[in-house]
Amino acid sequence: MLEIDPKLLGITVVVFLVMIYLLNVILYKPILSFVDSRNESIANEEKELSKYGNDTKKYEEECAAILASARDEVSKLKAAAIQSANELSKSKVDAERARLEADYKEFEAGLKTEQEALKVALSDNLPIIKTEIKSVLSKL
C-alpha cells in the first residue's frame, strides 16, 4: 500500500511554505500595491472630475444667463425697431395723405373754375344755342 514518508512530507510542506512566501513577496505584493495605487489614482481623478463638473455646471449657468439677457435685449431692440418703423411709415402715410388731399382740393378748385367758365361760356352762347335748337326742331 501507500506509505507516507514523514521526511518527504516535511520537505514538501517546507517547499510549499517557501513558495507561498516567495510568491507573496515577488508576485502578490507588487500586484496588490499596483492595484491599490491604481485605485487611489482613479479616486483622485474622480474627485478632480467632480470638481471640474461643478465648474462646468457653473459655466453652463453663466452661459444660460448671458443667452437669456441677450435674447431679452434682442427682443427689446426688435420691438424698438418695429415701433420706429411703424412711426416712420405712419408719418410717410400721413404726409402722402395730406399731399393727396391738397391735390384733390386743388383739382376740385380747378373743376369749379372750369365749371364757372363753362357756365359763363354757355350763358354767353345761350342765344346762339337757342336759335340753333329752334332751327333743328323746326326742320323736324
Side-chain angles (χ1 to χ4, degrees):
M1 290 226 357
L2 269 164
E3 288 184 28
I4 297 179
D5 187 10
K7 188 177 179 183
L8 195 56
L9 181 65
I11 293 174
T12 304
V13 168
V14 169
V15 168
F16 179 73
L17 292 175
V18 168
M19 284 299 290
I20 287 179
Y21 175 76
L22 289 176
L23 283 174
N24 191 24
V25 170
I26 295 173
L27 183 65
Y28 296 135
K29 281 190 180 180
I31 287 176
L32 289 175
S33 66
F34 173 75
V35 168
D36 289 341
S37 67
R38 184 170 177 260
N39 287 339
E40 188 177 315
S41 70
I42 289 172
N44 289 337
E45 288 176 3
E46 285 177 348
K47 286 179 187 176
E48 287 182 29
L49 283 177
S50 67
K51 175 185 168 188
Y52 291 133
N54 292 336
D55 290 345
T56 303
K57 287 180 185 177
K58 182 178 88 173
Y59 291 133
E60 286 175 355
E61 290 171 358
E62 286 179 18
C63 288
I66 290 170
L67 284 175
S69 67
R71 284 188 188 111
D72 290 342
E73 188 175 337
V74 165
S75 66
K76 288 177 185 176
L77 289 174
K78 184 178 176 183
I82 289 172
Q83 183 179 1
S84 69
N86 285 339
E87 290 172 0
L88 179 64
S89 66
K90 186 177 183 223
S91 67
K92 285 184 178 181
V93 166
D94 289 343
E96 187 63 22
R97 183 174 286 137
R99 186 189 67 79
L100 287 175
E101 285 178 11
D103 287 350
Y104 179 74
K105 286 183 181 181
E106 184 180 321
F107 178 71
E108 270 187 335
L111 279 179
K112 283 189 180 185
T113 58
E114 282 184 30
Q115 184 182 16
E116 292 298 320
L118 284 174
K119 281 183 183 178
V120 170
L122 277 175
S123 64
D124 289 345
N125 292 330
L126 191 60
I128 298 171
I129 294 173
K130 280 184 181 179
T131 56
E132 286 185 15
I133 290 176
K134 284 182 185 179
S135 67
V136 168
L137 287 177
S138 65
K139 289 180 185 176
L140 289 176

